[in-house]
Amino acid sequence: MTKADIVDIISSSVGLTKVETEAVVNGFMETVIDAMKRGENIELRGFGSFKVVKRAQRVARNPKTNEEVIVPEQYAPVLKMSKDFKEAVNEAHMIEN
């Protein structure tokens, strides 16, 4: 599913135009990105929480040359899904099988 698909589905279900819906979706995404740039956590109950985690420097290996490579420490955005979200997805897939 792409952002355009999401915009289509939301616009048809809430009665907004696609242009209005796309502005809302883009605004949401920009808000999440800006908050995470500031180091803020975002919690959407029933969906999940976004946070920034610090990954320590580590030694990795280039599989092609088997040469060791140092991967510097970095900050990474993480999305942890809520328990309700996970259960809903699991139940939907259990019914299919």
Side-chain angles (χ1 to χ4, degrees):
M1 180 176 283
T2 65
K3 183 168 77 168
D5 296 331
I6 293 170
V7 168
D8 288 342
I9 292 167
I10 293 172
S11 69
S12 64
S13 66
V14 298
L16 295 173
T17 67
K18 288 183 183 180
V19 172
E20 293 168 331
T21 305
E22 185 173 12
V24 171
V25 170
N26 287 338
F28 171 78
M29 290 174 23
E30 289 172 18
T31 302
V32 169
I33 292 168
D34 290 342
M36 293 186 81
K37 282 181 180 178
R38 293 189 301 271
E40 296 177 24
N41 294 338
I42 300 165
E43 182 181 330
L44 302 173
R45 302 242 166 132
F47 184 77
S49 47
F50 296 87
K51 65 182 181 178
V52 178
V53 296
K54 182 179 179 180
R55 301 242 166 99
Q57 176 177 306
R58 64 186 176 91
V59 177
R61 193 169 298 280
N62 181 336
K64 200 171 194 178
T65 64
N66 209 26
E67 177 185 348
E68 286 188 351
V69 178
I70 295 177
V71 178
E73 79 175 18
Q74 55 189 314
Y75 292 88
V78 175
L79 170 60
K80 181 178 179 186
M81 305 315 295
S82 74
K83 180 181 175 185
D84 295 338
F85 189 113
K86 289 181 198 177
E87 288 174 357
V89 170
N90 186 48
E91 288 173 16
H93 285 278
M94 295 298 281
I95 292 170
E96 290 177 359
N97 295 328

